[in-house]
Amino acid sequence: MAVGREEVEIVKPRSDKREYRRVVLQNSLEVLLISDPDTDKCAASMDVGVGSFSDPEGLDGLAHFLEHMLFYASEKYPVEDGYSKFITEHGGTMNAFTASKHTNYYFDVNVDSFEEALDRFAQFFIKPLMSPDATMREIKAVHSENQKNLLVDYWRTDQLQRHLSEESHPYHKFSTGNWDTLEIGPRAKGLDIRNELIQFYKENYSANLMHLVVYSKENLDEIYSLVKDKFQEILNTDKSRSHFPGQPCSTEHLQILVKAVPIKQGHKLSVIWPVTPEIQHYKEGPCRYLGHLIGHQGEGSLFYVLKTLGWATSLFAGEWESCWEFAFFTVEIDLTDAGHEHVQDIVGLLFKYIILLQQSGVCKWIFDELSALCETKFHYQDKIPPIHYVVRVASNMEIYPQEDWIVGSSLPCEFNPGTIQMVLDKLSPDNVRIFWESKSFEGLTDMMEPWYGTAYSMNRISTSTIQEWMSSSPDENLHLPVPNIFIPTDLSLNISEEKTNLPILLRKSSYSTLWFKPDTAFSTPKAYIKIDFSCPHASNSSEAVMLTDLFTRLLMDYLNEFAYDARVAGLYYSVHDTNTGFQVTVVGYSHKLRILLEKVIEKIATFEVRPERFVVIKEVVTKDYQNLKFEQPYEQAKSYCSLILQDNTWPWTEQLEALPSIRGEDLTKFLPLMLSRTFLEFYIAGNIERGEAESIVQHIENILFHGPQPICQPLYPSQHLTNRVVKLGTGSSHFYCTEGPNPSDENSALVHYIQVHQDDIVMNVKLQLFALIAKQAAFHQLRSVEQLGYITRLMHRNDFGIHGLQFIIQSAVKGPGNIDLRVEEFLKMFESKLSQMTNEDFKSNVNALINMKLEKHKNLREECAFYWREISDGTLKFDRRVTEVAALRQLTQQELLDFFNEYVKVGAARKKTLSIRVYGSLHASEYTTDKNQPAQPSSVQIEDIFSFRRSQPLYGSFKGAYGRVKL
């Protein structure tokens, strides 16, 4: 491999103005330099070619544990957690992940801090400390991470599939690690885990196994100089790249039917075949081609048939787990209760479709259409944040030749029917593994997966058995898809004459408002349309909320056959319920966007309840609500916090209670009532002209408001809905205790919320600056030092323009009452740190926040999300970032201290807190104690959420002043 500069032609999107250069340092570290003069953030990703497959025997999770440990400290930067603190305080984020064959470390940071951040990052791979004290604490963090996953079906299913494979193959391993594998087991064998960790690092972290991507504002020569200076000291031991020959599944692991008991309600079927990895033929795209057809949802597809029969609610098909040596092709189907009773028929239909593909032969026109879609998607892809980009490219560098580091496998361009046929031949009855999950198998299994405790049973299935299933399955009209009418052919850009860089109110009537913003930043042939339907009757009771939810899901269901091709062609749509009605969003290539939007509106206007689909969707909704009790405890605590704070919201338990009695006829009666009074708020942006935007609004108003029998009428002035938030009492602390709804979950959770103010530019920046300064300190103290739990966060919270702070902690170590005390102790400790902060540190944090606010939106979706938040909350401060930067430049250190002393510190005169405590099974006794202990002075226990909410004053809503916005 050449050392220094080596120019390589790297394929990139036509619209990509960035410059790329591949270099190899003297230590054989291969690097891709990316220069982007327009970037507001710099980023880097180091991909190390060793992962959990390389864990030594009996030390499961060691590679993952090492990934955790490298964040702590290095010889050059020995202050523990100094790297994370530096990155956070300079506007950045950082993380890492361990995969089967590689481990990826990455960060981003504000431009002016990149050199030091890169130097700190490089020390991970030069001389990390891995102190004994940190080693023991981080084992607990790895264990806490694993505990978080124990009751998550994704992790359980994945490990079960690994468990039922060759024990001698690394795919069989437990990759996460826990206290048993990293402390108890090694100690019993007389091993020092820290020595094992250091040995693993020395043996595997060699420069020749690493790939680095560095993304910066500087030119390529300057980036190269920086990289050479920071990374050439990484040791190269010429370690050979690990290979894992052989297949994870021998004959004993094929032709099996595994029945497993999940945590959540529902039935899932996974049909899996070991296949030749697509990476070996990525330009021919065999798995992409087959996944496109088997996973298709248009008329004649497998999913269309299963849905028509009422047996399935979703279907995915494609390559799943894969590396160079092996891969699996998976068809995953979510089943209805009726589908669960017809699994043999479903498997039979799947194999019938595969036989149809065999008989039809590999179709060139389908490959060409798919190739054209992929090419358009690649060349007109949205720019994404640098941190995500560097991870994607670094992960590609080990796998693909240099010219395809950016492309990866996203551009199948070589039609080779033989390769596709080779993979298709693998999808046979004698090569299959079937995993069937259902609560109905509870008590009927005879085996248990050791790491997650998943109960399962296993039976052999022969080829003749599957042939019998095929013979007995329904005789349905399965056929290949027809050509896609939604493929865009006009990708030209509208040259906008609008001079504004902010949304403008283009149109206003008693029926609607139209906010409009042409594309002045991205130069892509894409548009974005969001319509908020504000319907007072949609949210005035739990029953109404459930009926609205059922309506939006049925609408999505009805649209699927028509709009699936649109989705494949890069047009995306969604319909979902909100606190005040429902929203329709359509985004993608502007050429045929209006066709899709008009179809959605037509479906709303002509909506009829189809009894057979109503039954299926109601079943899906029921299971979704039943499964809310299995959510992570910290998510439940966040939900309770929103329920207490936000007026006009309903508990999911009430909604679930209302569901059984709701019938199709109820929805038929409800829909005209819900739509009878409606106000529409439009946001139209992107590659679309002003006149076209107005035409779209007029067309929709004509359908809904001006037909022979109008579906909708304008709202009365009294009906305009607002989002209002409870105003907590000054100087008081409130707490709400509840037991976690899942008795199997040991984890407890706390949300400690400090309510501060209603949207105000100066107050906003004080709060945001404090959150930036305190975020990493809170994480380090509460998670790294005190080891309360893997989920530990401090973040800014915004409820419809009401701002505050919230600590979020999930723990199996301490109960929520104790964690609450630890949060207060942290604030006491941080008080002195804040008061002792140097002026230089203060200015550094202010500049970091300014840089974050001045960061440009990366793509149209990101920009629209920002402006829609202003419209949705009613704050309408479209120039918010500019005005907040101006306020930050004026802010003094004393003003920040005064803010902390007045609103945040323990005992502050104007402090308002709300603690939500969810008690897991390990802390059930503490729940009784904490709930029954006498409340402290100025402390209020919330016994009943709705009595409390009704008794409290509310902040005025920014949405309340209907009509105040002037054209």
Side-chain angles (χ1 to χ4, degrees):
M1 223 180 261
V3 175
R5 286 180 52 164
E6 183 179 316
E7 300 294 344
V8 173
E9 184 66 35
I10 296 174
V11 179
K12 64 179 187 176
R14 285 192 284 267
S15 56
D16 188 352
K17 297 182 177 66
R18 293 169 289 206
E19 293 185 332
Y20 299 85
R21 181 188 298 164
R22 175 253 189 189
V23 297
V24 183
L25 303 187
Q26 288 184 338
N27 58 359
S28 295
L29 174 65
E30 195 168 19
V31 188
L32 181 65
L33 316 174
I34 306 177
S35 172
D36 181 0
D38 295 328
T39 192
D40 301 303
K41 278 266 170 72
C42 294
S45 171
M46 179 73 89
D47 200 79
V48 185
V50 61
S52 59
F53 276 9
S54 298
D55 285 343
E57 192 64 37
L59 291 174
D60 293 56
L62 191 67
H64 177 224
F65 177 37
L66 175 59
E67 171 227 301
H68 277 238
M69 284 300 300
L70 294 191
F71 280 80
Y72 266 89
S74 62
E75 285 190 16
K76 185 172 182 180
Y77 297 101
V79 176
E80 192 174 286
D81 218 40
Y83 164 77
S84 302
K85 183 174 185 289
F86 182 87
I87 296 291
T88 303
E89 290 184 353
H90 292 86
T93 52
M94 67 272 144
N95 214 328
F97 63 85
T98 304
S100 298
K101 293 186 64 178
H102 66 111
T103 305
N104 194 292
Y105 302 84
Y106 54 95
F107 76 91
D108 68 357
V109 75
N110 290 335
V111 171
D112 57 1
S113 308
F114 186 51
E115 183 172 352
E116 183 175 340
L118 200 64
D119 193 48
R120 289 173 177 272
F121 182 65
Q123 298 305 310
F124 281 25
F125 314 103
I126 297 171
K127 287 186 177 177
L129 278 183
M130 296 191 270
S131 69
D133 178 49
T135 301
M136 291 311 298
R137 280 188 275 123
E138 205 55 27
I139 290 175
K140 293 177 182 175
V142 170
H143 182 70
S144 175
E145 182 178 357
N146 182 59
Q147 280 185 303
K148 170 183 73 71
N149 299 334
L150 287 177
L151 298 179
V152 178
D153 283 323
Y154 166 80
W155 289 96
R156 296 164 68 88
T157 303
D158 179 69
Q159 193 61 45
L160 178 59
Q161 291 173 11
R162 293 172 184 275
H163 178 64
L164 296 174
S165 67
E166 280 291 338
E167 287 189 35
S168 59
H169 195 282
Y171 177 71
H172 183 81
K173 292 180 177 179
F174 168 53
S175 61
T176 309
N178 61 20
W179 186 253
D180 289 336
T181 67
L182 297 172
E183 169 56 21
I184 295 174
R187 191 177 291 279
K189 296 174 188 173
L191 298 176
D192 182 315
I193 193 65
R194 181 168 176 266
N195 289 343
E196 297 296 322
L197 193 70
I198 292 169
Q199 186 67 21
F200 185 84
Y201 178 83
K202 286 179 177 177
E203 288 180 1
N204 293 285
Y205 274 52
S206 174
N208 70 306
L209 296 184
M210 299 180 184
H211 293 92
L212 174 68
V213 178
V214 177
Y215 189 115
S216 177
K217 200 179 187 74
E218 309 303 325
N219 66 48
L220 291 172
D221 289 335
E222 290 170 318
I223 304 172
Y224 174 59
S225 176
L226 192 64
V227 166
K228 186 179 175 185
D229 177 52
K230 306 298 181 192
F231 290 91
Q232 63 186 357
E233 289 181 45
I234 297 176
L235 192 64
N236 177 21
T237 60
D238 281 322
K239 163 83 175 175
S240 298
R241 197 165 301 283
S242 297
H243 293 286
F244 303 95
Q247 292 299 308
C249 297
S250 61
T251 52
E252 69 174 288
H253 307 111
L254 301 173
Q255 293 190 291
I256 58 172
L257 172 61
V258 179
K259 296 177 180 178
V261 181
I263 295 297
K264 290 187 172 184
Q265 295 289 339
H267 321 284
K268 181 171 293 223
L269 184 67
S270 300
V271 185
I272 302 167
W273 297 267
V275 295
T276 304
E278 175 137 318
I279 181 60
Q280 296 181 18
H281 304 279
Y282 68 94
K283 290 195 175 181
E284 295 145 302
C287 288
R288 185 182 284 266
Y289 175 92
L290 294 170
H292 170 67
L293 292 175
I294 298 172
H296 208 279
Q297 297 185 13
E299 192 174 336
S301 68
L302 173 64
F303 179 71
Y304 179 84
V305 167
L306 296 178
K307 181 181 161 183
T308 303
L309 291 166
W311 292 352
T313 58
S314 74
L315 186 150
F316 160 84
E319 190 178 54
W320 195 244
E321 178 80 26
S322 69
C323 59
W324 182 265
E325 294 89 354
F326 72 90
F328 294 104
F329 188 93
T330 299
V331 177
E332 198 170 88
I333 307 170
D334 284 316
L335 307 173
T336 62
D337 290 344
H340 176 65
E341 301 300 323
H342 287 273
V343 159
Q344 295 179 3
D345 291 326
I346 291 169
V347 174
L349 283 165
L350 169 58
F351 277 100
K352 275 186 177 178
Y353 194 82
I354 290 168
I355 286 174
L356 169 68
L357 296 182
Q358 292 277 14
Q359 293 169 344
S360 304
V362 180
C363 298
K364 187 173 190 304
W365 78 263
I366 292 177
F367 181 88
D368 289 345
E369 182 180 275
L370 183 61
S371 179
L373 286 168
C374 290
E375 186 174 8
T376 302
K377 184 176 181 181
F378 176 73
H379 285 296
Y380 293 97
Q381 63 183 275
D382 289 337
K383 200 171 183 182
I384 60 175
I387 191 169
H388 302 317
Y389 194 64
V390 293
V391 170
R392 188 169 78 192
V393 177
S395 301
N396 282 347
M397 286 174 70
E398 184 182 341
I399 304 171
Y400 299 97
Q402 296 154 30
E403 64 269 18
D404 290 330
W405 281 349
I406 296 169
V407 172
S409 60
S410 64
L411 277 184
C413 55
E414 296 176 4
F415 181 61
N416 187 333
T419 302
I420 296 172
Q421 189 64 49
M422 173 188 67
V423 176
L424 179 57
D425 290 342
K426 297 277 190 182
L427 309 187
S428 64
D430 59 0
N431 193 41
V432 76
R433 290 154 56 87
I434 301 176
F435 289 81
W436 181 6
E437 300 168 58
S438 175
K439 280 280 198 186
S440 67
F441 298 141
E442 219 152 18
L444 303 175
T445 59
D446 56 359
M447 286 181 269
M448 187 167 286
E449 189 280 315
W451 296 112
Y452 289 82
T454 304
Y456 74 97
S457 61
M458 186 174 75
N459 300 100
R460 310 296 307 181
I461 46 168
S462 65
T463 301
S464 60
T465 300
I466 290 178
Q467 286 170 341
E468 287 172 17
W469 294 353
M470 289 168 62
S471 299
S472 62
S473 64
D475 190 16
E476 296 291 333
N477 183 25
L478 293 164
H479 60 79
L480 297 180
V482 297
N484 191 334
I485 63 167
F486 280 102
I487 295 175
T489 53
D490 180 3
L491 296 167
S492 60
L493 300 179
N494 292 315
I495 307 303
S496 173
E497 296 179 3
E498 304 285 347
K499 302 302 180 188
T500 178
N501 287 322
L502 300 174
I504 56 173
L505 183 62
L506 202 56
R507 195 172 188 273
K508 179 183 168 187
S509 71
S510 59
Y511 310 108
S512 68
T513 53
L514 165 59
W515 296 96
F516 173 69
K517 186 190 177 301
D519 178 9
T520 55
F522 309 112
S523 299
T524 63
K526 297 179 181 179
Y528 180 103
I529 301 173
K530 186 181 283 288
I531 313 169
D532 182 73
F533 285 71
S534 182
C535 309
H537 295 295
S539 56
N540 58 14
S541 69
S542 288
E543 288 86 351
V545 169
M546 291 316 306
L547 286 161
T548 306
D549 189 5
L550 286 163
F551 160 68
T552 58
R553 297 209 205 196
L554 276 167
L555 188 61
M556 287 288 286
D557 183 75
Y558 295 175
L559 285 164
N560 193 58
E561 284 81 55
F562 173 83
Y564 178 76
D565 273 349
R567 199 157 75 239
V568 170
L571 287 175
Y572 304 95
Y573 68 98
S574 73
V575 186
H576 67 90
D577 59 319
T578 66
N579 283 347
T580 56
F582 65 98
Q583 282 177 4
V584 172
T585 308
V586 185
V587 59
Y589 300 114
S590 50
H591 180 206
K592 298 185 178 180
L593 194 71
R594 184 164 180 172
I595 298 171
L596 178 59
L597 176 64
E598 290 183 357
K599 186 70 174 180
V600 175
I601 299 301
E602 178 199 320
K603 284 284 185 186
I604 293 171
T606 60
F607 186 89
E608 291 182 0
V609 177
R610 301 180 198 164
E612 76 284 358
R613 296 311 299 161
F614 178 84
V615 170
V616 170
I617 298 302
K618 181 181 173 182
E619 181 189 314
V620 172
V621 172
T622 302
K623 286 173 185 168
D624 284 351
Y625 276 80
Q626 288 171 338
N627 286 330
L628 287 173
K629 76 173 185 180
F630 300 113
E631 290 292 312
Q632 294 277 353
Y634 78 94
E635 295 284 4
Q636 293 169 2
K638 285 163 59 180
S639 295
Y640 281 119
C641 191
S642 296
L643 190 63
I644 289 171
L645 291 174
Q646 295 176 9
D647 195 33
N648 200 38
T649 53
W650 311 93
W652 67 265
T653 48
E654 263 187 27
Q655 293 164 358
L656 180 59
E657 199 176 313
L659 253 176
S661 60
I662 294 176
R663 299 162 303 162
E665 308 89 88
D666 298 319
L667 183 55
T668 299
K669 291 175 187 172
F670 171 76
L671 194 62
L673 175 66
M674 180 185 77
L675 291 173
S676 64
R677 294 288 172 180
T678 301
F679 184 77
L680 307 177
E681 192 140 34
F682 289 83
Y683 180 65
I684 300 181
N687 189 45
I688 201 160
E689 294 176 342
R690 171 195 286 247
E692 176 72 1
E694 291 182 294
S695 167
I696 287 169
V697 173
Q698 188 61 58
H699 175 79
I700 292 171
E701 281 187 5
N702 287 343
I703 290 174
L704 298 177
F705 292 94
H706 304 313
Q709 294 180 308
I711 298 158
C712 307
Q713 289 183 293
L715 299 185
Y716 292 117
S718 62
Q719 287 183 302
H720 281 270
L721 296 170
T722 58
N723 295 312
R724 301 192 65 184
V725 176
V726 166
K727 190 173 189 177
L728 297 174
T730 302
S732 61
S733 74
H734 306 80
F735 66 97
Y736 176 73
C737 300
T738 184
E739 289 182 287
N742 179 12
S744 301
D745 200 330
E746 297 179 344
N747 291 291
S748 293
L750 169 78
V751 168
H752 180 98
Y753 167 68
I754 303 169
Q755 190 178 71
V756 181
H757 69 285
Q758 188 167 32
D759 194 52
D760 172 87
I761 293 299
V762 175
M763 287 291 285
N764 291 353
V765 298
K766 291 176 182 177
L767 177 66
Q768 292 162 13
L769 184 61
F770 174 78
L772 176 67
I773 295 169
K775 176 182 174 181
Q776 188 57 34
F779 180 84
H780 178 62
Q781 179 62 33
L782 300 173
R783 195 269 209 183
S784 301
V785 176
E786 299 188 26
Q787 288 294 311
L788 293 180
Y790 180 74
I791 302 288
T792 302
R793 298 170 189 162
L794 168 60
M795 58 201 297
H796 169 224
R797 179 179 174 121
N798 177 7
D799 296 88
F800 310 120
I802 309 305
H803 296 262
L805 291 164
Q806 61 181 2
F807 291 82
I808 302 170
I809 301 171
Q810 181 167 297
S811 177
V813 180
K814 289 185 181 293
N818 279 317
I819 301 172
D820 221 352
L821 296 174
R822 298 315 308 156
V823 169
E824 298 223 324
E825 284 303 312
F826 165 75
L827 287 172
K828 289 175 185 174
M829 179 195 75
F830 193 72
E831 184 179 346
S832 60
K833 286 192 176 183
L834 196 64
S835 61
Q836 292 164 16
M837 183 171 57
T838 65
N839 188 48
E840 184 182 347
D841 280 346
F842 172 76
K843 286 181 177 177
S844 173
N845 280 288
V846 167
N847 288 334
L849 188 54
I850 286 173
N851 287 336
M852 290 163 72
K853 290 187 175 298
L854 292 178
E855 192 176 337
K856 295 185 286 288
H857 298 297
K858 301 293 178 295
N859 53 59
L860 182 64
R861 281 180 188 246
E862 195 179 292
E863 180 189 83
C864 291
F866 178 84
Y867 290 130
W868 178 255
R869 179 71 184 264
E870 295 293 330
I871 294 166
S872 179
D873 286 351
T875 42
L876 303 181
K877 292 176 181 169
F878 298 127
D879 62 347
R880 173 179 299 279
R881 298 195 299 181
V882 174
T883 55
E884 288 185 345
V885 165
L888 270 169
R889 295 192 196 282
Q890 300 296 316
L891 190 66
T892 67
Q893 191 168 348
Q894 187 58 50
E895 286 174 321
L896 180 66
L897 278 171
D898 291 344
F899 167 81
F900 174 78
N901 291 331
E902 195 170 355
Y903 294 99
V904 180
K905 75 178 254 184
V906 177
R910 301 183 67 177
K911 187 169 184 178
K912 304 183 286 185
T913 63
L914 169 62
S915 289
I916 310 297
R917 304 173 185 176
V918 176
Y919 292 76
S921 59
L922 279 181
H923 308 113
S925 59
E926 291 178 38
Y927 167 71
T928 307
T929 305
D930 291 356
K931 194 167 173 59
N932 294 328
Q933 70 179 8
Q936 300 294 317
S938 77
S939 183
V940 178
Q941 181 174 176
I942 300 172
E943 299 281 356
D944 176 81
I945 288 175
F946 305 101
S947 297
F948 172 78
R949 208 166 72 180
R950 283 190 290 267
S951 69
Q952 300 301 303
L954 302 174
Y955 281 99
S957 170
F958 288 103
K959 293 282 274 190
Y962 170 68
R964 71 186 173 89
V965 182
K966 304 297 182 189
L967 268 171

